[in-house]
Amino acid sequence: MNKKITVIPGDGIGKEVVEGALQVLNVVAKKFSHQFEYEFALAGGAALDAAGIPLPEATLTSARSSDAVLLGAVGGPKWDANPQHLKPERALLGLRKELGLYANIRPAKIYSALVDASSLKKEVVEGVDIIVVRELTGGLYFGKPSGFEQRNGEEVGFNTMLYSESEVRRIARSAFEIARKRSKKVCSVDKANVLETSQLWRKVVIESAKEFPDVELSHMYVDNCSMQLIRNPKQFDVIVTENLFGDILSDEAAMLTGSIGMLASASLGGSVAMYEPVHGSAPDIAGQNKANPIATIASVAMMLKYSFGLSAESDAIENAIEKVLSAGFRTGDIHTEGMTLLGTKEMTAKIIESI
Ligand code: NAD
């Protein structure tokens, strides 16, 4: 198989973890006789420094003409004081919008070797296997009007939470389809007791469920869901929710597994999907060979499966991660007593060795 991948390392640890993931892809390509061609592109702070804008047109052109996009992470204190349209994070929103990536898929699965790395009790987290399907291109992050203005002699900030029926229907369908391949349970999370957008959300999700009679649908308010994720996470299989709630809940689900450094994600919907670790650019550890590369390596495993249909290759990576963890190798974020501490490069090398 011959595939072109647009690679956007981004900022901070993004560059380090992407380098590791590409090394893993190269090994998989060799072992299974594929060819992956990489086209490097800029986004975020790196693009601001080089081109003065967070998402250059050249990056979008590259992404649109490739078979998949791999992104590290963007952002950092250097650009924090920039005006809104020149913040690195605008690149993420732009990529999602321009590529039509309305469904963000985030698995939160406990690796058995890492049960003790969770801050929750072993019996609560053992066997947790959740997928959060987050709507990615609507809601509060994109709704207009938004901005700042003077009201009654003081400055106010405002955003608009808005969903159309078609936006809800397509993300609901994505969730039902994913659930069909798993244990056929979807929990739709909203705040329908307060928000009109949530009332529409719930109505459309219920309508959409009729197309999937084999999938069991339940509903939960977002505040309760955040409690239940900590109290009894095993009750969940697929959670579907809007953009802001999904942003928060998927990070919470992430922590069940021990570290945000372990979690992969896929953004689907358009003709080209984007794969990225859930974590950010971690300025506190950037450039120190301390970042956990597993989230990004697991992200390329998702790319192989979802974009290229290469399940055996994807499983080879997943199994290698599991094996390395079972052998007691850890990066700092998941390290516990008695385990062998490795840096980013060394952890990547161990996974490659295991493949
Ligand atoms: P973060 O995810 O970068 O870091 C949170 C904490 O987790 C830090 O202590 C960090 O050291 C640790 N961490 C994160 N990834 C790790 C890894 N792979 N291995 C080991 N430890 C890891 O979140 P933040 O600190 O809130 O944000 C930092 C910057 O990243 C900000 O500029 C933010 O806007 C940006 N950000 C970008 C994305 C993205 O590009 N998708 C996502 C979230 C945050």
Side-chain angles (χ1 to χ4, degrees), residues 168-179 208 211-212 240:
V168 180
R169 195 166 294 117
R170 66 184 184 182
I171 191 77
R173 282 185 180 140
S174 301
F176 287 122
E177 269 157 22
I178 289 169
S208 308
E211 295 168 35
F212 301 87
V240 63

Side-chain angles (χ1 to χ4, degrees), residues 208-219:
S208 308
K210 291 182 188 141
E211 295 168 35
F212 301 87
D214 50 326
V215 179
E216 181 192 323
L217 171 66
S218 61
H219 304 272

Side-chain angles (χ1 to χ4, degrees), residues 175-176 179 184-188 205 215-219 238-240:
F176 287 122
K184 299 192 171 58
K185 269 168 60 182
V186 169
C187 178
S188 170
V205 170
V215 179
E216 181 192 323
L217 171 66
S218 61
H219 304 272
V238 175
I239 292 175
V240 63

Side-chain angles (χ1 to χ4, degrees), residues 10-336:
D11 308 313
I13 62 165
K15 290 178 256 182
E16 301 165 60
V17 291
V18 161
E19 191 185 321
L22 293 185
Q23 286 172 16
V24 169
L25 267 183
N26 288 339
V27 169
V28 169
K30 200 164 167 204
K31 187 177 159 95
F32 292 87
S33 305
H34 302 300
Q35 278 207 318
F36 301 133
E37 180 199 331
Y38 309 125
E39 191 165 285
F40 286 85
L42 294 172
L48 280 162
D49 287 353
I53 47 170
L55 183 59
E57 195 51 44
T59 299
L60 280 173
T61 306
S62 169
R64 285 192 191 108
S65 67
S66 66
D67 296 299
V69 178
L70 174 66
L71 176 98
V74 297
K78 183 176 174 189
W79 309 280
D80 274 352
N82 282 12
Q84 199 66 3
H85 69 290
L86 293 180
K87 286 202 187 289
E89 292 77 7
R90 298 307 294 179
L92 293 176
L93 302 185
L95 276 163
R96 289 168 188 165
K97 197 84 189 166
E98 292 298 321
L99 297 176
L101 306 175
Y102 62 81
N104 186 228
I105 316 295
R106 292 189 181 190
K109 187 176 169 167
I110 298 272
Y111 287 92
S112 48
L114 279 190
V115 165
D116 293 325
S118 174
S119 54
L120 297 187
K121 291 190 199 100
K122 186 177 173 177
E123 57 272 25
V124 175
V125 291
E126 210 162 30
V128 161
D129 184 1
I130 301 171
I131 287 198
V132 180
V133 179
R134 166 188 169 195
E135 202 291 328
L136 208 54
T137 55
L140 211 49
Y141 295 176
F142 291 98
K144 293 287 172 217
S146 69
F148 304 97
E149 64 184 34
Q150 290 292 323
R151 285 187 197 170
N152 302 324
E154 63 174 345
E155 191 178 25
V156 297
F158 55 96
N159 296 87
T160 302
M161 190 186 247
L162 186 145
Y163 271 104
S164 65
E165 285 179 71
S166 57
E167 283 176 312
V168 180
R169 195 166 294 117
R170 66 184 184 182
I171 191 77
R173 282 185 180 140
S174 301
F176 287 122
E177 269 157 22
I178 289 169
R180 260 195 176 153
K181 296 183 192 128
R182 296 167 50 93
S183 57
K184 299 192 171 58
K185 269 168 60 182
V186 169
C187 178
S188 170
V189 174
D190 61 37
K191 188 74 184 167
N193 50 344
V194 179
L195 300 173
E196 281 82 358
T197 41
S198 283
Q199 287 158 18
L200 179 93
W201 176 280
R202 192 176 282 216
K203 187 180 90 177
V204 176
V205 170
I206 290 171
E207 278 166 21
S208 308
K210 291 182 188 141
E211 295 168 35
F212 301 87
D214 50 326
V215 179
E216 181 192 323
L217 171 66
S218 61
H219 304 272
M220 196 178 275
Y221 295 137
V222 61
D223 40 350
N224 185 25
C225 182
S226 79
M227 283 198 298
Q228 296 297 331
L229 273 173
I230 301 300
R231 197 185 69 86
N232 177 19
K234 271 181 261 188
Q235 70 186 285
F236 296 108
D237 185 49
V238 175
I239 292 175
V240 63
T241 191
E242 64 89 46
N243 205 343
L244 169 69
F245 300 161
D247 193 358
I248 299 166
L249 292 178
S250 57
D251 271 16
E252 189 186 354
M255 277 318 292
L256 298 174
T257 68
S259 168
I260 201 162
M262 297 294 300
L263 289 152
S265 85
S267 300
L268 317 172
S271 55
V272 183
M274 184 161 83
Y275 298 84
E276 54 181 315
V278 166
H279 61 74
S281 57
D284 53 333
I285 56 165
Q288 299 170 41
N289 193 37
K290 282 185 180 167
N292 186 346
I294 294 179
T296 315
I297 293 172
S299 297
V300 299
M302 284 183 89
M303 177 191 289
L304 294 173
K305 186 179 277 175
Y306 286 95
S307 280
F308 307 158
L310 299 174
S311 290
E313 289 80 343
S314 178
D315 291 348
I317 296 178
E318 282 292 342
N319 293 339
I321 294 172
E322 187 84 59
K323 245 199 245 167
V324 167
L325 293 173
S326 299
F329 296 108
R330 303 281 190 273
T331 43
D333 56 316
I334 49 173
H335 185 253
T336 47

